[in-house]
Amino acid sequence: GQQLNQSPQSMFIQEGEDVSMNCTSSSIFNTWLWYKQDPGEGPVLLIALYKAGELTSNGRLTAQFGITRKDSFLNISASIPSDVGIYFCAGQKGGSEKLVFGKGTKLTVNP
Amino acid sequence: EAGVTQFPSHSVIEKGQTVTLRCDPISGHDNLYWYRRVMGKEIKFLLHFVKESKQDESGMPNNRFLAERTGGTYSTLKVQPAELEDSGVYFCASSYRRGQGRVGEFFGPGTRLTVL
């Protein structure tokens, strides 16, 4: 089945550091999405990317839709303790409503 | 505006029993999705409703799972009989359409199902 390879699986960083995570796929997606999940909550949409090459920012978050349409990355600058959580990438193919998710990157920020 | 709500938040049942999960989408959202995350794995699509119609149920694992959305409002997902591998967190999400595009994909907090 379709798979998104998300890395790294987990990250332990110091407050103030920048973070980068990415997702790759063997197939093309029309939309890339990045979600964050806090404990006991559902995933919350952070950034949506709709066009190859698109670079979008949301505060300290920046995400890009790869030119090949097979990858995307998410950067978090100047991390703070509330950035802790699990970050998921998700892709959507043309003609399909369903999202294909990566396995998540668990982020821990040490104050 | 209330978000997507799910009930119950947790459910612990014995193998062979029946469990029904409920999702109330955001008011006015025609699209309703069910997803599941098994421990340590990715969130996987189960099915998609547009109003009361099943648009895509390609992710439903087997015929022990039955989803309904009578009247196009809330949805239920019944597992009967439950097996050990059904344990996981079941998420519901809803969205609405604007023109050709889907706007928003709002997730509920999930129901954590444990089958013993």
Side-chain angles (χ1 to χ4, degrees):
Chain A
Q2 298 161 12
Q3 254 190 321
L4 291 185
N5 300 308
Q6 184 172 351
S7 65
Q9 189 175 348
S10 62
M11 301 184 76
F12 297 84
I13 61 170
Q14 292 296 125
E15 183 176 357
E17 288 183 352
D18 297 343
V19 169
S20 185
M21 57 192 81
N22 69 83
C23 268
T24 60
S25 172
S26 58
S27 56
I28 288 171
F29 287 90
N30 283 8
T31 301
W32 283 92
L33 306 165
W34 285 92
Y35 287 86
K36 183 192 177 200
Q37 185 185 11
D38 290 325
E41 304 288 331
V44 173
L45 182 63
L46 299 174
I47 292 181
L49 302 158
Y50 300 104
K51 213 161 88 168
E54 182 180 352
L55 183 71
T56 296
S57 292
N58 178 7
R60 293 177 296 105
L61 277 59
T62 301
Q64 184 157 30
F65 190 145
I67 289 287
T68 64
R69 294 163 67 191
K70 294 182 179 180
D71 64 308
S72 177
F73 72 74
L74 174 71
N75 286 343
I76 305 173
S77 64
S79 58
I80 58 178
S82 62
D83 290 334
V84 164
I86 303 176
Y87 291 79
F88 292 98
C89 64
Q92 184 188 8
K93 289 179 176 288
S96 173
E97 289 281 338
K98 66 182 181 186
L99 296 180
V100 179
F101 281 84
K103 288 189 178 182
T105 295
K106 186 174 181 180
L107 178 64
T108 303
V109 181
N110 296 316
Chain B
E1 181 186 315
V4 177
T5 57
Q6 293 186 244
F7 182 83
S9 56
H10 293 81
S11 181
V12 181
I13 61 172
E14 304 253 330
K15 176 182 166 179
Q17 289 186 321
T18 297
V19 64
T20 300
L21 314 181
R22 173 172 169 143
C23 168
D24 286 79
I26 293 173
S27 177
H29 283 195
D30 287 342
N31 295 285
L32 186 150
Y33 312 83
W34 283 98
Y35 288 84
R36 175 175 74 172
R37 187 180 189 213
V38 172
M39 180 70 76
K41 302 211 169 183
E42 65 271 28
I43 299 170
K44 278 197 171 175
F45 169 83
L46 296 178
L47 88 160
H48 168 214
F49 283 100
V50 177
K51 297 185 180 178
E52 67 274 9
S53 300
K54 289 177 188 173
Q55 194 77 9
D56 180 356
E57 51 184 329
S58 61
M60 294 287 263
N62 51 60
N63 59 10
R64 294 185 294 103
F65 288 74
L66 175 65
E68 293 180 321
R69 193 183 181 195
T70 308
T73 54
Y74 71 91
S75 175
T76 57
L77 179 64
K78 184 195 290 191
V79 185
Q80 179 183 30
E83 298 288 343
L84 298 178
E85 65 263 24
D86 300 332
S87 295
V89 181
Y90 290 77
F91 291 106
C92 176
S94 70
S95 70
Y96 68 97
R97 282 200 163 274
R98 183 168 61 205
Q100 294 299 313
R102 179 175 66 186
V103 180
E105 180 105 22
F106 298 91
F107 278 78
T111 293
R112 181 174 293 278
L113 175 64
T114 302
V115 183
L116 303 175

